[in-house]
Amino acid sequence: MSFIELSTSWSLQILLIGLCAEACAPLLRKAHPGVRARFWLIALLLSLTAPWLMRGVPAATLKAEDNVLTVASTAVTGALGALPPSWPEIIVIFWGAMALARLIGLVRGVHQLAAITSESKPIEIAGSPQLRVRESASIQSPAASFIGRVILVPPNFVGLPDAWKRAALVHETIHLARSHGALLLLEEAILALFWFHPMVFRLVRRVRDSREETVDAATIAATGATREYREMLIGLAARIRIPAPAVSGTTALGARIESLIALEKNPMPKTSTPRLLAAGFALLCTAALASAAVPLGIAAKSQDSGDKKETKEAPRKVLSKVNPVYPPAMKEQKRGGVVVVTVTIGPDGTVKSLRPQPTPHEVHPDLVKAAVEALQQWRWESGKGTIEFTHAIDFRLGSDEKK
């Protein structure tokens, strides 16, 4: 399976699992933030790993016309296959360049955070002498830095109300204790690899928002000051500018405030067992369906249409053929490979179309071009209707091409 086919199948599976998770989200609206955080983390992990964990599961037996994922995968890979041989390589190079750019940005962010942490100066906060708190003019709101495991605060932090300072320090301490910095780095690496997939961004955002709500709930449990904490979030929201990747940031403030109000009314909200089971079961079933519908390692097969049919060997006798010319550059580089081409011939025995097909091992575009140019000159005996079949040409140093 080519890289393009692998990416297409995997992306479709992620999309289906993500849509299922979004559909199940209303069932957990009144659940404790910790439950929602675990649900979204499982949804993200399933979308990334289920297609690989279930590779041994037999593929779905649905007909292709009834299998939406297979139809979509076939359409995408078919369109890409119709592009010139060099285009798949260009697409892969572009993906790699974008992923590398995001990873470089992540490294720069870590370096920036390290510089801010090293340039900050230690301060003591009354009532919290055991905490490692450092002051920095480069930030405008409290943030936990996983580098050095310290809490960074802006210069005006000491002037904030005592309740605000205590709540902020507890909040950031929880982030450090739960190693959220490492999770954030891992999430950024995932986003770098899947920069093209909006559902991955959506799931990561859901994970981060629910994680913040969970830390909010833990902070309220530790301080017992729900109203003061809510006021602190609103008061600091307009001044937030945290260097990435720090540990925390106030995202989806409206949802966080709503969650805090719900916790104030019901400190220990309960989610009915049937709802939890329904959400989890739906997510698992969707993961299994997505993996079986377009399994990794199995390319989507094209379907018969009209008067065309597909066979492994040519159903008509070859009247004349031209052997492919082994590209000199490929000989010098000692490169070979098997080129598989779908050939369509008309009633008169001439070639109507040639479509190179993906193979387990990538073949150089020059070899594909040589095979196509040779097959274009082949002639078969005439017959009834138009037929379609596959033909393989083996480029091997020291040997002639083989079917």
Side-chain angles (χ1 to χ4, degrees):
M1 190 179 221
S2 69
F3 179 84
I4 299 296
E5 289 180 315
L6 175 64
S7 301
T8 302
S9 299
W10 198 0
S11 297
L12 289 172
Q13 293 165 353
I14 291 174
L15 176 62
L16 185 58
I17 295 173
L19 290 176
C20 176
E22 291 289 344
C24 294
L27 296 175
L28 306 177
R29 184 173 299 167
K30 296 182 179 180
H32 189 276
V35 175
R36 292 196 296 271
R38 287 190 289 271
F39 171 79
W40 287 113
L41 180 60
I42 291 173
L44 177 62
L45 293 177
L46 270 180
S47 67
L48 297 176
T49 62
W52 298 95
L53 296 177
M54 301 187 66
R55 291 190 71 178
V57 177
T61 56
L62 294 174
K63 294 180 179 179
E65 57 267 25
D66 299 327
N67 190 332
V68 177
L69 285 179
T70 300
V71 171
S73 179
T74 301
V76 175
T77 54
L80 293 173
L83 295 174
S86 60
W87 270 91
E89 291 186 1
I90 295 175
I91 293 174
V92 173
I93 292 173
F94 180 70
W95 167 82
M98 292 294 293
L100 180 60
R102 291 190 65 93
L103 290 174
I104 291 175
L106 175 60
V107 173
R108 291 180 62 184
V110 173
H111 183 267
Q112 179 187 7
L113 180 60
I116 292 175
T117 302
S118 64
E119 294 172 359
S120 61
K121 61 180 181 180
I123 62 172
E124 290 187 5
I125 302 297
S128 304
Q130 74 282 6
L131 297 179
R132 298 184 61 189
V133 183
R134 300 180 70 90
E135 182 181 288
S136 173
S138 299
I139 64 171
Q140 298 178 359
S141 182
S145 171
F146 64 90
I147 298 178
R149 298 187 64 82
V150 300
I151 299 175
L152 300 174
V153 298
N156 63 349
F157 183 76
V158 293
L160 297 177
D162 291 340
W164 287 25
K165 289 188 290 186
R166 179 169 179 257
L169 293 176
V170 170
H171 182 99
E172 304 305 335
T173 300
I174 294 173
H175 276 302
L176 290 176
R178 298 182 180 181
S179 301
H180 287 166
L183 294 179
L184 185 60
L185 286 176
L186 180 59
E187 290 161 1
E188 288 295 328
I190 292 172
L191 292 177
L193 297 177
F194 289 90
W195 57 265
F196 59 90
H197 206 308
M199 183 54 71
V200 175
F201 279 80
R202 176 70 175 175
L203 290 174
V204 170
R205 174 54 58 191
R206 286 284 205 174
V207 169
R208 291 178 176 177
D209 290 347
S210 60
R211 185 165 62 218
E212 282 297 320
E213 293 175 10
T214 302
V215 176
D216 290 340
T219 303
I220 294 299
T223 62
T226 305
R227 182 175 59 83
E228 292 82 357
Y229 185 71
R230 188 167 65 246
E231 292 175 352
M232 181 205 71
L233 289 181
I234 297 174
L236 296 180
R239 293 180 286 176
I240 291 176
R241 183 173 64 84
I242 300 173
V247 168
S248 61
T250 52
T251 58
L253 181 61
R256 293 176 66 185
I257 298 299
E258 183 180 346
S259 177
L260 290 175
I261 293 174
L263 285 175
E264 189 174 9
K265 294 179 179 178
N266 184 12
M268 289 301 293
K270 295 182 180 180
T271 302
S272 62
T273 300
R275 287 189 175 189
L276 283 175
L277 292 177
F281 183 74
L283 201 58
L284 289 174
C285 287
T286 304
L289 176 62
S291 300
V294 187
L296 298 182
I298 300 180
K301 296 180 180 179
S302 60
Q303 298 302 305
D304 299 340
S305 60
D307 61 348
K308 294 182 179 181
K309 63 180 180 180
E310 184 176 345
T311 60
K312 293 185 177 179
E313 298 179 357
R316 297 180 189 172
K317 182 180 179 181
V318 178
L319 299 180
S320 64
K321 65 178 182 178
V322 176
N323 290 329
V325 178
Y326 210 123
M330 296 295 97
K331 284 187 177 182
E332 293 178 3
Q333 299 176 24
K334 297 183 178 181
R335 300 187 64 168
V338 178
V339 178
V340 179
V341 181
T342 297
V343 184
T344 303
I345 59 177
D348 59 353
T350 60
V351 175
K352 298 300 181 182
S353 67
L354 296 169
R355 299 195 308 276
Q357 299 299 313
T359 57
H361 301 285
E362 293 291 340
V363 181
H364 196 279
D366 288 353
L367 297 178
V368 176
K369 181 180 178 181
V372 170
E373 290 178 349
L375 286 173
Q376 189 68 50
Q377 304 176 62
W378 285 34
R379 294 293 181 270
W380 285 262
E381 63 181 359
S382 59
K384 183 178 179 181
T386 301
I387 61 173
E388 183 178 279
F389 57 92
T390 58
H391 183 80
I393 294 180
D394 185 4
F395 286 92
R396 189 183 306 170
L397 292 173
S399 66
D400 297 330
E401 64 88 11
K402 300 178 181 180
K403 294 183 181 179

